[in-house]
Amino acid sequence: MMGFTTKGRYATRVLVYLAARREEGPAKKQAIAEAEGISPDYVEQILIRLKAAGIVNSHRGKAGGFSLAGDPHQLTVARVLEVMEGRLTVAPCASGQACSRSDSCSTRALWSRADKALKQVLTGTSIGELADKARTGSDFNI
């Protein structure tokens, strides 16, 4: 089965949480963990990686915690998943890597189309958009 790891999916949820409550200031990892049903240690691992990528800021002190480093409407789900998962592709040949069957593969065009569609959805969806939907309680439609 093809899919994203929990780190990629949870990072997306953590960022949507931070974006949805952006006006309230930094959030502590424990509050994020409780709200999202993720262990605090796992939230910390995710936040460390997101901070290293410049996606979140950490704030010290009593009112400290984590906040988004930029505009959530400019942060795509594709960017988050690339930070957490690495290169996004449905098959190596879909992203231009050659294999021993590249010239005669009857399914290469399918994988390329699927890869393009996946990337279109992920690059066309921002964390801010997901946060807006979460705040209003409306479903996300493609």
Side-chain angles (χ1 to χ4, degrees):
M1 182 175 115
M2 185 181 90
F4 299 109
T5 67
T6 55
K7 276 197 176 166
R9 294 189 324 266
Y10 289 3
T12 303
R13 285 177 34 201
V14 165
L15 291 169
V16 169
Y17 173 84
L18 290 175
R21 62 170 315 281
R22 194 167 191 196
E23 302 301 318
E24 299 172 39
K28 299 196 181 307
K29 80 172 181 182
Q30 186 66 37
I32 298 168
E34 287 175 16
E36 293 303 319
I38 307 169
S39 82
D41 290 340
Y42 205 31
V43 169
E44 183 173 21
Q45 288 176 31
I46 290 166
L47 289 167
I48 287 169
R49 192 177 249 167
L50 294 172
K51 183 179 178 207
I55 294 173
V56 299
N57 293 322
S58 63
H59 308 272
R60 296 185 181 270
K62 187 175 182 176
F66 293 88
S67 64
L68 291 176
D71 180 354
H73 290 90
Q74 298 300 313
L75 176 59
T76 67
V77 173
R79 170 75 175 122
V80 175
L81 292 174
E82 286 168 355
V83 165
M84 302 308 290
E85 309 273 346
R87 188 176 180 156
L88 301 176
T89 187
V90 298
C93 63
S95 60
Q97 293 180 352
C99 74
S100 62
R101 299 203 29 94
S102 291
D103 294 333
S104 62
C105 181
S106 60
T107 60
R108 186 172 185 181
L110 169 69
W111 304 134
S112 293
R113 268 190 14 235
D115 192 67
K116 185 177 179 179
L118 175 66
K119 288 178 180 167
Q120 185 177 9
V121 169
L122 298 176
T123 58
T125 306
S126 74
I127 294 297
E129 182 181 1
L130 294 173
D132 292 345
K133 299 286 185 186
R135 273 194 299 271
T136 63
S138 51
D139 289 333
F140 182 77
N141 295 315
I142 296 174

